[in-house]
Amino acid sequence: MINPIIAANWKMNKTIGEAAAFARELKGSLTEGMEMDLVLAPPFTALSRVAEILGDSPISLAAQNIHEAPEGKGAFTGEISAAMLVDAGCKFVIVGHSERRTLFGETDERINEKLLTALRYRLKPIFCVGESLNEREKGKAFRVIEGQLKEGLKNVVFDDTENVIIAYEPVWAIGTGRTATPGQAEEIHRYIRDFMAEYYGSDLAARLPVIYGGSVNPDNMAALMAEKDINGVLVGGASLKIDSFLGIVNYQ
Ligand code: PEP
């Protein structure tokens, strides 16, 4: 049984004060014995403030990006190292988000380096894969995802796979209001699990969290989560307001 993961990606939104207020409200609304992992990914500026508020609550902190340098420091103006993210209280880091791939030119190779560095520092990568609309329409979705998985997970040793979360995020569904149907999402999630079973064994694949992202909201959440291979969600737009995020968290 995999605990559902519900992760909020705030992207370039929220001041420190806004992030802190949200974290306080979310923490205050948790119910005893909740069997899910909640994760907040605020902008870098708000990480340590949100970490202070979350304290030892079951809500975890994620970063939205990481620099790949394994040294943890160096002459990389404007970048943030894995060591700094750990120091700020992060347990997770989003790697390979389609906005990083398309707007900032991140290649599969660089994403792989980021992922390996994250794992080396015991940060759990939320590794995003997903096809564009054009690729889906040409029937290439599986091939694209296979390539992203092969390249992104290169040199990831078996023991580290326990710490990887894979997020299927069809690019055509991100921020568009157009969600994959539960059936479309499930088909790819099953493919990802089969891929992982082939490379890392069926025991690992059965324990691997594979989460969905792309216009998730309180109305479509329950149907997505009813699918066998969907173990949680990565939420952008609908995670910005506490009411809609709570609507997603309380989907059952
Ligand atoms: C995302 O950016 O990871 C995402 C899923 O965004 P949205 O929920 O807004 O589609």
Side-chain angles (χ1 to χ4, degrees):
M1 171 74 184
I2 301 170
N3 253 8
I5 296 175
I6 302 185
N9 174 15
W10 289 344
K11 312 192 184 189
M12 198 170 71
N13 293 288
K14 294 196 188 293
T15 61
I16 298 173
E18 288 165 349
F22 187 113
R24 224 175 275 118
E25 211 167 328
L26 181 63
K27 187 177 162 184
S29 62
L30 293 186
T31 50
E32 194 84 1
M34 248 179 152
E35 285 185 345
M36 58 176 61
D37 294 326
L38 299 182
V39 181
L40 296 181
F44 290 134
T45 48
L47 284 175
S48 50
R49 184 75 191 102
V50 171
E52 274 167 29
I53 292 164
L54 298 180
D56 58 4
S57 81
I59 309 167
S60 302
L61 195 64
Q64 297 176 21
N65 191 18
I66 183 177
H67 188 267
E68 61 273 25
E71 303 83 15
K73 60 182 177 180
F76 299 101
T77 303
E79 293 292 332
I80 309 270
S81 76
M84 291 167 184
L85 298 180
V86 172
D87 187 42
C90 292
K91 292 216 174 80
F92 295 81
V93 58
I94 300 171
V95 173
H97 191 281
S98 65
E99 285 155 14
R100 299 295 318 169
R101 291 177 190 264
T102 56
L103 303 175
F104 301 98
E106 289 191 7
T107 58
D108 285 328
E109 191 184 0
R110 184 144 187 232
I111 289 161
N112 173 243
E113 288 169 3
K114 286 174 183 244
L115 201 137
L116 291 169
T117 298
L119 288 168
R120 187 170 166 165
Y121 282 80
R122 297 262 154 250
L123 283 164
K124 296 181 180 207
I126 301 176
F127 170 39
C128 303
V129 297
E131 79 288 1
S132 67
L133 185 58
N134 185 33
E135 288 162 342
R136 173 162 281 264
E137 285 174 349
K138 288 192 170 139
K140 293 186 184 161
F142 294 109
R143 217 175 323 143
V144 167
I145 285 155
E146 180 188 18
Q148 291 172 342
L149 290 172
K150 273 190 185 154
E151 295 301 317
L153 295 171
K154 212 175 246 175
N155 300 324
V156 172
V157 295
F158 179 80
D159 285 351
D160 280 344
T161 53
E162 296 279 354
N163 291 319
V164 175
I165 293 105
I166 298 182
Y168 169 53
E169 296 214 308
V171 181
W172 47 273
I174 295 180
T176 58
R178 188 175 163 188
T179 327
T181 63
Q184 283 173 323
E186 171 64 14
E187 191 180 35
I188 302 280
H189 281 233
R190 196 172 334 113
Y191 176 79
I192 292 172
R193 206 176 298 286
D194 289 348
F195 174 96
M196 293 301 283
E198 193 183 325
Y199 279 79
Y200 295 103
S202 48
D203 283 357
L204 177 276
R207 291 195 304 273
L208 175 84
V210 185
I211 65 177
Y212 169 79
S215 298
V216 174
N217 61 45
D219 296 330
N220 57 29
M221 175 69 178
L224 287 162
M225 290 302 290
E227 296 293 339
K228 179 172 165 285
D229 290 294
I230 300 184
N231 308 119
V233 289
L234 179 55
V235 191
S239 73
L240 291 173
K241 294 227 164 72
I242 188 75
D243 288 349
S244 63
F245 191 60
L246 285 176
I248 291 169
V249 170
N250 297 318
Y251 68 97
Q252 276 161 326

PDB file of all heavy atoms in Angstrom, residues 180-206:
ATOM      1  N   ALA A 180      -5.848  15.062 -18.239  1.00  0.00           N
ATOM      2  CA  ALA A 180      -5.926  13.728 -18.848  1.00  0.00           C
ATOM      3  C   ALA A 180      -7.123  13.032 -18.212  1.00  0.00           C
ATOM      4  O   ALA A 180      -7.393  13.236 -17.026  1.00  0.00           O
ATOM      5  CB  ALA A 180      -4.646  12.959 -18.554  1.00  0.00           C
ATOM      6  N   THR A 181      -7.836  12.222 -18.962  1.00  0.00           N
ATOM      7  CA  THR A 181      -8.910  11.448 -18.332  1.00  0.00           C
ATOM      8  C   THR A 181      -8.238  10.455 -17.385  1.00  0.00           C
ATOM      9  O   THR A 181      -7.064  10.091 -17.593  1.00  0.00           O
ATOM     10  CB  THR A 181      -9.730  10.668 -19.367  1.00  0.00           C
ATOM     11  OG1 THR A 181      -8.854   9.724 -19.997  1.00  0.00           O
ATOM     12  CG2 THR A 181     -10.354  11.583 -20.406  1.00  0.00           C
ATOM     13  N   PRO A 182      -8.962   9.980 -16.372  1.00  0.00           N
ATOM     14  CA  PRO A 182      -8.355   8.984 -15.494  1.00  0.00           C
ATOM     15  C   PRO A 182      -7.809   7.800 -16.294  1.00  0.00           C
ATOM     16  O   PRO A 182      -6.733   7.284 -15.993  1.00  0.00           O
ATOM     17  CB  PRO A 182      -9.510   8.582 -14.579  1.00  0.00           C
ATOM     18  CG  PRO A 182     -10.388   9.795 -14.530  1.00  0.00           C
ATOM     19  CD  PRO A 182     -10.305  10.393 -15.911  1.00  0.00           C
ATOM     20  N   GLY A 183      -8.515   7.408 -17.341  1.00  0.00           N
ATOM     21  CA  GLY A 183      -8.075   6.271 -18.155  1.00  0.00           C
ATOM     22  C   GLY A 183      -6.775   6.578 -18.888  1.00  0.00           C
ATOM     23  O   GLY A 183      -5.871   5.740 -18.953  1.00  0.00           O
ATOM     24  N   GLN A 184      -6.673   7.789 -19.453  1.00  0.00           N
ATOM     25  CA  GLN A 184      -5.431   8.163 -20.161  1.00  0.00           C
ATOM     26  C   GLN A 184      -4.255   8.192 -19.187  1.00  0.00           C
ATOM     27  O   GLN A 184      -3.160   7.730 -19.494  1.00  0.00           O
ATOM     28  CB  GLN A 184      -5.580   9.562 -20.782  1.00  0.00           C
ATOM     29  CG  GLN A 184      -6.393   9.615 -22.044  1.00  0.00           C
ATOM     30  CD  GLN A 184      -6.641  11.055 -22.492  1.00  0.00           C
ATOM     31  OE1 GLN A 184      -6.849  11.958 -21.677  1.00  0.00           O
ATOM     32  NE2 GLN A 184      -6.615  11.275 -23.788  1.00  0.00           N
ATOM     33  N   ALA A 185      -4.501   8.758 -18.002  1.00  0.00           N
ATOM     34  CA  ALA A 185      -3.425   8.846 -17.008  1.00  0.00           C
ATOM     35  C   ALA A 185      -3.027   7.441 -16.555  1.00  0.00           C
ATOM     36  O   ALA A 185      -1.840   7.102 -16.516  1.00  0.00           O
ATOM     37  CB  ALA A 185      -3.872   9.701 -15.828  1.00  0.00           C
ATOM     38  N   GLU A 186      -4.005   6.615 -16.269  1.00  0.00           N
ATOM     39  CA  GLU A 186      -3.726   5.261 -15.764  1.00  0.00           C
ATOM     40  C   GLU A 186      -2.879   4.453 -16.764  1.00  0.00           C
ATOM     41  O   GLU A 186      -1.967   3.724 -16.385  1.00  0.00           O
ATOM     42  CB  GLU A 186      -5.046   4.539 -15.452  1.00  0.00           C
ATOM     43  CG  GLU A 186      -4.946   3.066 -15.114  1.00  0.00           C
ATOM     44  CD  GLU A 186      -4.171   2.746 -13.822  1.00  0.00           C
ATOM     45  OE1 GLU A 186      -3.918   3.659 -13.020  1.00  0.00           O
ATOM     46  OE2 GLU A 186      -3.808   1.558 -13.657  1.00  0.00           O
ATOM     47  N   GLU A 187      -3.217   4.627 -18.054  1.00  0.00           N
ATOM     48  CA  GLU A 187      -2.491   3.886 -19.088  1.00  0.00           C
ATOM     49  C   GLU A 187      -0.982   4.200 -19.023  1.00  0.00           C
ATOM     50  O   GLU A 187      -0.133   3.313 -19.096  1.00  0.00           O
ATOM     51  CB  GLU A 187      -3.062   4.319 -20.443  1.00  0.00           C
ATOM     52  CG  GLU A 187      -2.630   3.509 -21.597  1.00  0.00           C
ATOM     53  CD  GLU A 187      -3.265   4.022 -22.895  1.00  0.00           C
ATOM     54  OE1 GLU A 187      -3.457   5.248 -23.063  1.00  0.00           O
ATOM     55  OE2 GLU A 187      -3.548   3.178 -23.751  1.00  0.00           O
ATOM     56  N   ILE A 188      -0.672   5.481 -18.839  1.00  0.00           N
ATOM     57  CA  ILE A 188       0.751   5.872 -18.785  1.00  0.00           C
ATOM     58  C   ILE A 188       1.356   5.467 -17.441  1.00  0.00           C
ATOM     59  O   ILE A 188       2.503   5.012 -17.381  1.00  0.00           O
ATOM     60  CB  ILE A 188       0.908   7.395 -19.023  1.00  0.00           C
ATOM     61  CG1 ILE A 188       0.318   7.795 -20.372  1.00  0.00           C
ATOM     62  CG2 ILE A 188       2.385   7.787 -18.899  1.00  0.00           C
ATOM     63  CD1 ILE A 188       1.164   7.548 -21.582  1.00  0.00           C
ATOM     64  N   HIS A 189       0.599   5.614 -16.369  1.00  0.00           N
ATOM     65  CA  HIS A 189       1.126   5.211 -15.056  1.00  0.00           C
ATOM     66  C   HIS A 189       1.478   3.735 -15.060  1.00  0.00           C
ATOM     67  O   HIS A 189       2.502   3.327 -14.524  1.00  0.00           O
ATOM     68  CB  HIS A 189       0.107   5.508 -13.947  1.00  0.00           C
ATOM     69  CG  HIS A 189       0.092   6.950 -13.550  1.00  0.00           C
ATOM     70  ND1 HIS A 189       0.227   7.373 -12.246  1.00  0.00           N
ATOM     71  CD2 HIS A 189      -0.008   8.071 -14.297  1.00  0.00           C
ATOM     72  CE1 HIS A 189       0.194   8.693 -12.212  1.00  0.00           C
ATOM     73  NE2 HIS A 189       0.035   9.135 -13.442  1.00  0.00           N
ATOM     74  N   ARG A 190       0.632   2.928 -15.680  1.00  0.00           N
ATOM     75  CA  ARG A 190       0.903   1.491 -15.727  1.00  0.00           C
ATOM     76  C   ARG A 190       2.169   1.221 -16.548  1.00  0.00           C
ATOM     77  O   ARG A 190       3.007   0.405 -16.191  1.00  0.00           O
ATOM     78  CB  ARG A 190      -0.297   0.726 -16.304  1.00  0.00           C
ATOM     79  CG  ARG A 190      -0.185  -0.755 -16.007  1.00  0.00           C
ATOM     80  CD  ARG A 190      -1.427  -1.567 -16.370  1.00  0.00           C
ATOM     81  NE  ARG A 190      -2.649  -0.793 -16.363  1.00  0.00           N
ATOM     82  CZ  ARG A 190      -3.369  -0.507 -17.444  1.00  0.00           C
ATOM     83  NH1 ARG A 190      -2.983  -0.928 -18.642  1.00  0.00           N
ATOM     84  NH2 ARG A 190      -4.487   0.190 -17.351  1.00  0.00           N
ATOM     85  N   TYR A 191       2.283   1.991 -17.622  1.00  0.00           N
ATOM     86  CA  TYR A 191       3.474   1.849 -18.471  1.00  0.00           C
ATOM     87  C   TYR A 191       4.743   2.186 -17.670  1.00  0.00           C
ATOM     88  O   TYR A 191       5.758   1.481 -17.752  1.00  0.00           O
ATOM     89  CB  TYR A 191       3.345   2.781 -19.687  1.00  0.00           C
ATOM     90  CG  TYR A 191       4.562   2.773 -20.551  1.00  0.00           C
ATOM     91  CD1 TYR A 191       4.785   1.734 -21.461  1.00  0.00           C
ATOM     92  CD2 TYR A 191       5.524   3.773 -20.435  1.00  0.00           C
ATOM     93  CE1 TYR A 191       5.929   1.704 -22.238  1.00  0.00           C
ATOM     94  CE2 TYR A 191       6.669   3.753 -21.204  1.00  0.00           C
ATOM     95  CZ  TYR A 191       6.853   2.723 -22.103  1.00  0.00           C
ATOM     96  OH  TYR A 191       7.998   2.693 -22.861  1.00  0.00           O
ATOM     97  N   ILE A 192       4.672   3.266 -16.866  1.00  0.00           N
ATOM     98  CA  ILE A 192       5.832   3.677 -16.052  1.00  0.00           C
ATOM     99  C   ILE A 192       6.164   2.575 -15.045  1.00  0.00           C
ATOM    100  O   ILE A 192       7.313   2.196 -14.858  1.00  0.00           O
ATOM    101  CB  ILE A 192       5.548   5.024 -15.338  1.00  0.00           C
ATOM    102  CG1 ILE A 192       5.455   6.146 -16.372  1.00  0.00           C
ATOM    103  CG2 ILE A 192       6.613   5.320 -14.272  1.00  0.00           C
ATOM    104  CD1 ILE A 192       4.988   7.492 -15.820  1.00  0.00           C
ATOM    105  N   ARG A 193       5.136   2.009 -14.428  1.00  0.00           N
ATOM    106  CA  ARG A 193       5.380   0.954 -13.434  1.00  0.00           C
ATOM    107  C   ARG A 193       5.991  -0.296 -14.114  1.00  0.00           C
ATOM    108  O   ARG A 193       6.912  -0.898 -13.584  1.00  0.00           O
ATOM    109  CB  ARG A 193       4.076   0.606 -12.694  1.00  0.00           C
ATOM    110  CG  ARG A 193       4.345   0.047 -11.297  1.00  0.00           C
ATOM    111  CD  ARG A 193       3.088  -0.215 -10.497  1.00  0.00           C
ATOM    112  NE  ARG A 193       2.263   0.943 -10.208  1.00  0.00           N
ATOM    113  CZ  ARG A 193       2.574   1.885  -9.317  1.00  0.00           C
ATOM    114  NH1 ARG A 193       3.687   1.821  -8.634  1.00  0.00           N
ATOM    115  NH2 ARG A 193       1.762   2.915  -9.117  1.00  0.00           N
ATOM    116  N   ASP A 194       5.482  -0.619 -15.288  1.00  0.00           N
ATOM    117  CA  ASP A 194       6.039  -1.774 -16.011  1.00  0.00           C
ATOM    118  C   ASP A 194       7.499  -1.517 -16.392  1.00  0.00           C
ATOM    119  O   ASP A 194       8.341  -2.409 -16.309  1.00  0.00           O
ATOM    120  CB  ASP A 194       5.221  -2.062 -17.284  1.00  0.00           C
ATOM    121  CG  ASP A 194       3.848  -2.633 -16.942  1.00  0.00           C
ATOM    122  OD1 ASP A 194       3.630  -3.010 -15.766  1.00  0.00           O
ATOM    123  OD2 ASP A 194       2.986  -2.670 -17.836  1.00  0.00           O
ATOM    124  N   PHE A 195       7.762  -0.285 -16.820  1.00  0.00           N
ATOM    125  CA  PHE A 195       9.144   0.081 -17.172  1.00  0.00           C
ATOM    126  C   PHE A 195      10.048  -0.111 -15.951  1.00  0.00           C
ATOM    127  O   PHE A 195      11.125  -0.711 -16.041  1.00  0.00           O
ATOM    128  CB  PHE A 195       9.185   1.549 -17.630  1.00  0.00           C
ATOM    129  CG  PHE A 195      10.582   2.069 -17.869  1.00  0.00           C
ATOM    130  CD1 PHE A 195      11.125   2.078 -19.150  1.00  0.00           C
ATOM    131  CD2 PHE A 195      11.361   2.550 -16.814  1.00  0.00           C
ATOM    132  CE1 PHE A 195      12.428   2.540 -19.365  1.00  0.00           C
ATOM    133  CE2 PHE A 195      12.659   3.010 -17.015  1.00  0.00           C
ATOM    134  CZ  PHE A 195      13.191   3.001 -18.289  1.00  0.00           C
ATOM    135  N   MET A 196       9.606   0.382 -14.806  1.00  0.00           N
ATOM    136  CA  MET A 196      10.422   0.294 -13.588  1.00  0.00           C
ATOM    137  C   MET A 196      10.575  -1.165 -13.153  1.00  0.00           C
ATOM    138  O   MET A 196      11.617  -1.551 -12.630  1.00  0.00           O
ATOM    139  CB  MET A 196       9.805   1.141 -12.470  1.00  0.00           C
ATOM    140  CG  MET A 196       9.836   2.638 -12.753  1.00  0.00           C
ATOM    141  SD  MET A 196      11.482   3.315 -13.022  1.00  0.00           S
ATOM    142  CE  MET A 196      12.104   3.404 -11.348  1.00  0.00           C
ATOM    143  N   ALA A 197       9.536  -1.970 -13.382  1.00  0.00           N
ATOM    144  CA  ALA A 197       9.624  -3.392 -13.028  1.00  0.00           C
ATOM    145  C   ALA A 197      10.692  -4.065 -13.888  1.00  0.00           C
ATOM    146  O   ALA A 197      11.488  -4.874 -13.409  1.00  0.00           O
ATOM    147  CB  ALA A 197       8.276  -4.064 -13.227  1.00  0.00           C
ATOM    148  N   GLU A 198      10.733  -3.691 -15.161  1.00  0.00           N
ATOM    149  CA  GLU A 198      11.709  -4.297 -16.063  1.00  0.00           C
ATOM    150  C   GLU A 198      13.146  -3.925 -15.654  1.00  0.00           C
ATOM    151  O   GLU A 198      14.040  -4.762 -15.666  1.00  0.00           O
ATOM    152  CB  GLU A 198      11.416  -3.814 -17.483  1.00  0.00           C
ATOM    153  CG  GLU A 198      12.135  -4.593 -18.533  1.00  0.00           C
ATOM    154  CD  GLU A 198      11.858  -4.034 -19.917  1.00  0.00           C
ATOM    155  OE1 GLU A 198      10.724  -3.567 -20.174  1.00  0.00           O
ATOM    156  OE2 GLU A 198      12.805  -4.047 -20.740  1.00  0.00           O
ATOM    157  N   TYR A 199      13.350  -2.657 -15.276  1.00  0.00           N
ATOM    158  CA  TYR A 199      14.706  -2.192 -14.960  1.00  0.00           C
ATOM    159  C   TYR A 199      15.130  -2.463 -13.516  1.00  0.00           C
ATOM    160  O   TYR A 199      16.296  -2.656 -13.236  1.00  0.00           O
ATOM    161  CB  TYR A 199      14.844  -0.695 -15.274  1.00  0.00           C
ATOM    162  CG  TYR A 199      15.089  -0.472 -16.739  1.00  0.00           C
ATOM    163  CD1 TYR A 199      14.028  -0.520 -17.640  1.00  0.00           C
ATOM    164  CD2 TYR A 199      16.377  -0.266 -17.236  1.00  0.00           C
ATOM    165  CE1 TYR A 199      14.238  -0.364 -18.997  1.00  0.00           C
ATOM    166  CE2 TYR A 199      16.602  -0.111 -18.589  1.00  0.00           C
ATOM    167  CZ  TYR A 199      15.533  -0.161 -19.472  1.00  0.00           C
ATOM    168  OH  TYR A 199      15.757  -0.018 -20.814  1.00  0.00           O
ATOM    169  N   TYR A 200      14.190  -2.405 -12.590  1.00  0.00           N
ATOM    170  CA  TYR A 200      14.560  -2.473 -11.173  1.00  0.00           C
ATOM    171  C   TYR A 200      13.847  -3.604 -10.421  1.00  0.00           C
ATOM    172  O   TYR A 200      14.035  -3.745  -9.211  1.00  0.00           O
ATOM    173  CB  TYR A 200      14.273  -1.135 -10.479  1.00  0.00           C
ATOM    174  CG  TYR A 200      15.127   0.007 -10.988  1.00  0.00           C
ATOM    175  CD1 TYR A 200      14.617   0.956 -11.868  1.00  0.00           C
ATOM    176  CD2 TYR A 200      16.459   0.133 -10.583  1.00  0.00           C
ATOM    177  CE1 TYR A 200      15.408   2.000 -12.327  1.00  0.00           C
ATOM    178  CE2 TYR A 200      17.259   1.168 -11.037  1.00  0.00           C
ATOM    179  CZ  TYR A 200      16.722   2.106 -11.909  1.00  0.00           C
ATOM    180  OH  TYR A 200      17.507   3.138 -12.363  1.00  0.00           O
ATOM    181  N   GLY A 201      12.992  -4.326 -11.091  1.00  0.00           N
ATOM    182  CA  GLY A 201      12.319  -5.451 -10.443  1.00  0.00           C
ATOM    183  C   GLY A 201      10.907  -5.112 -10.002  1.00  0.00           C
ATOM    184  O   GLY A 201      10.572  -3.951  -9.728  1.00  0.00           O
ATOM    185  N   SER A 202      10.088  -6.163  -9.922  1.00  0.00           N
ATOM    186  CA  SER A 202       8.663  -5.912  -9.658  1.00  0.00           C
ATOM    187  C   SER A 202       8.388  -5.481  -8.213  1.00  0.00           C
ATOM    188  O   SER A 202       7.427  -4.763  -7.960  1.00  0.00           O
ATOM    189  CB  SER A 202       7.828  -7.134 -10.024  1.00  0.00           C
ATOM    190  OG  SER A 202       8.404  -8.266  -9.468  1.00  0.00           O
ATOM    191  N   ASP A 203       9.248  -5.865  -7.260  1.00  0.00           N
ATOM    192  CA  ASP A 203       9.016  -5.431  -5.871  1.00  0.00           C
ATOM    193  C   ASP A 203       9.148  -3.923  -5.765  1.00  0.00           C
ATOM    194  O   ASP A 203       8.318  -3.241  -5.174  1.00  0.00           O
ATOM    195  CB  ASP A 203      10.029  -6.072  -4.914  1.00  0.00           C
ATOM    196  CG  ASP A 203       9.662  -7.520  -4.645  1.00  0.00           C
ATOM    197  OD1 ASP A 203       8.622  -7.948  -5.166  1.00  0.00           O
ATOM    198  OD2 ASP A 203      10.422  -8.195  -3.941  1.00  0.00           O
ATOM    199  N   LEU A 204      10.238  -3.421  -6.351  1.00  0.00           N
ATOM    200  CA  LEU A 204      10.432  -1.965  -6.319  1.00  0.00           C
ATOM    201  C   LEU A 204       9.279  -1.262  -7.044  1.00  0.00           C
ATOM    202  O   LEU A 204       8.688  -0.301  -6.537  1.00  0.00           O
ATOM    203  CB  LEU A 204      11.781  -1.609  -6.950  1.00  0.00           C
ATOM    204  CG  LEU A 204      12.179  -0.128  -7.087  1.00  0.00           C
ATOM    205  CD1 LEU A 204      11.644   0.581  -8.289  1.00  0.00           C
ATOM    206  CD2 LEU A 204      11.892   0.679  -5.810  1.00  0.00           C
ATOM    207  N   ALA A 205       8.935  -1.770  -8.223  1.00  0.00           N
ATOM    208  CA  ALA A 205       7.880  -1.134  -9.025  1.00  0.00           C
ATOM    209  C   ALA A 205       6.564  -1.078  -8.258  1.00  0.00           C
ATOM    210  O   ALA A 205       5.824  -0.100  -8.339  1.00  0.00           O
ATOM    211  CB  ALA A 205       7.702  -1.874 -10.337  1.00  0.00           C
ATOM    212  N   ALA A 206       6.298  -2.106  -7.473  1.00  0.00           N
ATOM    213  CA  ALA A 206       5.038  -2.134  -6.717  1.00  0.00           C
ATOM    214  C   ALA A 206       5.031  -1.098  -5.589  1.00  0.00           C
ATOM    215  O   ALA A 206       3.971  -0.647  -5.174  1.00  0.00           O
ATOM    216  CB  ALA A 206       4.824  -3.526  -6.136  1.00  0.00           C
TER     217      ALA A 206
END
